[in-house]
C-alpha cells in the first residue's frame, strides 16, 4: 500500500490511497485500488482502470463539473 494523508487501511494490499482532506479516508479489504480524495472530488477505481481516468476527465468538459478538469 502507498498512502498519503489521513488514511487507515485494514486487510488491504496493493493500493494507492491519497487523501488531501482533513477527513479520515478508511478502507477495509481493498485490493488493487486507487483512491484519491480531494476537497473537490473523490476518485475510486481499480488500478487496471487508470487509462479510463483521462476519458472521465474529458467527459466533464462542457458540463457543470468542467471546473474540475
Amino acid at each position: 500500500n502507498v498512502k498519503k494523508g489521513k488514511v487507515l487501511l485494514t486487510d488491504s494490499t496493493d493500493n494507492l490511497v491519497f487523501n488531501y482532506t482533513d477527513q479520515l479516508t478508511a478502507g477495509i479489504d481493498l485490493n488493487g485500488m486507487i483512491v484519491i480524495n480531494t476537497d473537490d472530488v473523490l476518485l475510486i477505481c481499480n488500478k487496471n482502470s487508470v487509462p479510463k481516468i483521462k476519458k472521465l476527465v474529458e467527459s466533464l468538459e462542457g458540463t457543470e463539473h468542467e471546473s474540475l478538469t
Side-chain angles (χ1 to χ4, degrees):
N1 293 315
V2 178
K3 304 182 291 182
K4 179 175 182 151
K6 289 184 175 181
V7 175
L8 174 64
L9 297 176
T10 302
D11 298 328
S12 300
T13 57
D14 193 31
N15 300 292
L16 175 72
V17 183
F18 285 1
N19 180 13
Y20 295 100
T21 72
D22 290 329
Q23 188 176 19
L24 176 66
T25 299
I28 301 170
D29 293 332
L30 300 179
N31 184 23
M33 300 296 292
I34 295 176
V35 179
I36 309 294
N37 190 13
T38 71
D39 290 331
D40 297 323
V41 67
L42 171 62
L43 171 70
I44 304 169
C45 69
N46 190 284
K47 281 186 168 183
N48 295 332
S49 298
V50 168
K52 297 178 182 178
I53 295 173
K54 181 178 179 183
K55 289 181 183 179
L56 175 68
V57 172
E58 289 172 348
S59 74
L60 299 176
E61 293 179 15
T63 72
E64 63 191 79
H65 305 293
E66 185 172 21
S67 63
L68 299 173
T69 61

